[in-house]
Amino acid sequence: LRERGVEPEQAELLLSLASNAPLLALQFADKETTKLRENLLDDLLSLAKETADPVTIAEKWCKTSLIDTLYLVYSLLANISRRLTEQPVKQRDLDKATAHFAECGIYALFELFDVWHQTFTDLKVPGAKAQYVMTAMLIRWQASLMGTKHG
């Protein structure tokens, strides 16, 4: 990564995203994965704070690589849950998300994992429409988060 001119902090994030696999981290660097991850994190927070429309976010997410998007969303949720359970996570930019999801509780994150898994399963169905499946996932997520804060 150093030979490719990747900044040390960026390299640390890429290696973390790639589970310390240097070749995968290089692929992520080439695909501008960190920018996509930043956007996904912003979208998740906007959704959780009820300041974004799930349909609009789903449309945006479907314009990117669906596999990369689902992988990064899973990674973000996993790392936020690790932070909530006080496990070490090297991704420093998760502070706001961790604080927000701490208000919702760890069980809300577990529910988001369940919805993510169902979405992944739904996308495997022949003829599944990515836009529809992603929209349904984000609407369920937002409803789930609203329920933990208001209910």
Side-chain angles (χ1 to χ4, degrees):
L1 291 170
R2 244 181 271 136
E3 291 174 9
R4 294 271 179 105
V6 177
E7 297 293 323
E9 190 171 308
Q10 180 88 344
E12 185 178 308
L13 174 61
L14 290 168
L15 283 168
S16 177
L17 289 173
S19 301
N20 291 320
L23 293 177
L24 183 56
L26 276 173
Q27 284 181 329
F28 285 164
D30 293 341
K31 294 167 100 177
E32 296 187 12
T33 301
T34 54
K35 184 64 179 163
L36 174 60
R37 181 187 166 280
E38 286 174 26
N39 291 337
L40 293 172
L41 182 57
D42 289 343
D43 290 343
L44 285 173
L45 277 172
S46 296
L47 192 66
K49 293 177 180 178
E50 303 175 47
T51 60
D53 175 35
V55 175
T56 303
I57 292 175
E59 287 173 1
K60 186 167 85 170
W61 286 11
C62 285
K63 291 177 184 173
T64 64
S65 163
L66 210 50
I67 295 298
D68 288 350
T69 298
L70 288 171
Y71 174 82
L72 290 171
V73 166
Y74 181 85
S75 173
L76 285 167
L77 292 175
N79 286 320
I80 292 167
S81 67
R82 284 185 191 105
R83 279 240 174 134
L84 287 174
T85 57
E86 299 179 8
Q87 297 176 38
V89 176
K90 293 182 180 180
Q91 298 170 23
R92 295 181 188 104
D93 62 340
L94 295 178
D95 292 341
K96 285 183 196 172
T98 303
H100 184 80
F101 284 106
E103 293 175 19
C104 298
I106 191 75
Y107 295 107
L109 271 176
F110 292 157
E111 193 166 332
L112 297 184
F113 277 115
D114 287 343
V115 172
W116 179 92
H117 183 266
Q118 183 60 50
T119 300
F120 197 77
T121 303
D122 291 349
L123 285 170
K124 292 179 186 178
V125 174
K129 304 278 187 230
Q131 175 74 38
Y132 172 78
V133 173
M134 294 297 280
T135 300
M137 175 185 77
L138 295 173
I139 289 170
R140 288 184 296 205
W141 273 5
Q142 193 171 53
S144 171
L145 291 171
M146 287 169 46
T148 59
K149 290 189 289 189
H150 303 298

mmCIF file of all heavy atoms in Angstrom, residues 11 21 24 86 130 134:
data_model
loop_
_atom_site.group_PDB
_atom_site.id
_atom_site.type_symbol
_atom_site.label_atom_id
_atom_site.label_comp_id
_atom_site.label_asym_id
_atom_site.label_seq_id
_atom_site.Cartn_x
_atom_site.Cartn_y
_atom_site.Cartn_z
ATOM 1 N N ALA A 11 -4.351 3.487 4.664
ATOM 2 C CA ALA A 11 -3.916 2.094 4.560
ATOM 3 C C ALA A 11 -4.452 1.272 5.733
ATOM 4 O O ALA A 11 -4.892 0.136 5.556
ATOM 5 C CB ALA A 11 -2.394 2.023 4.510
ATOM 6 N N ALA A 21 -6.078 -8.398 4.730
ATOM 7 C CA ALA A 21 -5.606 -9.030 3.497
ATOM 8 C C ALA A 21 -5.071 -7.930 2.574
ATOM 9 O O ALA A 21 -5.853 -7.160 2.012
ATOM 10 C CB ALA A 21 -6.739 -9.795 2.829
ATOM 11 N N LEU A 24 -6.522 -7.602 -1.088
ATOM 12 C CA LEU A 24 -7.897 -7.096 -1.087
ATOM 13 C C LEU A 24 -7.894 -5.600 -0.749
ATOM 14 O O LEU A 24 -8.639 -4.824 -1.346
ATOM 15 C CB LEU A 24 -8.763 -7.880 -0.104
ATOM 16 C CG LEU A 24 -10.239 -7.516 -0.042
ATOM 17 C CD1 LEU A 24 -10.891 -7.636 -1.421
ATOM 18 C CD2 LEU A 24 -10.959 -8.404 0.968
ATOM 19 N N GLU A 86 -17.509 -2.847 23.255
ATOM 20 C CA GLU A 86 -16.185 -2.441 23.733
ATOM 21 C C GLU A 86 -15.056 -3.337 23.232
ATOM 22 O O GLU A 86 -14.065 -3.553 23.920
ATOM 23 C CB GLU A 86 -16.188 -2.339 25.256
ATOM 24 C CG GLU A 86 -17.182 -1.310 25.745
ATOM 25 C CD GLU A 86 -17.247 -1.187 27.247
ATOM 26 O OE1 GLU A 86 -16.419 -1.788 27.950
ATOM 27 O OE2 GLU A 86 -18.135 -0.462 27.704
ATOM 28 N N ALA A 130 -33.162 -5.368 -7.706
ATOM 29 C CA ALA A 130 -32.277 -4.810 -6.683
ATOM 30 C C ALA A 130 -32.867 -3.554 -6.054
ATOM 31 O O ALA A 130 -32.824 -3.390 -4.833
ATOM 32 C CB ALA A 130 -30.907 -4.517 -7.280
ATOM 33 N N MET A 134 -33.530 -3.406 -2.090
ATOM 34 C CA MET A 134 -32.775 -2.450 -1.275
ATOM 35 C C MET A 134 -33.708 -1.440 -0.608
ATOM 36 O O MET A 134 -33.515 -1.076 0.546
ATOM 37 C CB MET A 134 -31.732 -1.725 -2.131
ATOM 38 C CG MET A 134 -30.636 -2.628 -2.662
ATOM 39 S SD MET A 134 -29.645 -3.380 -1.362
ATOM 40 C CE MET A 134 -28.560 -2.043 -0.974
#
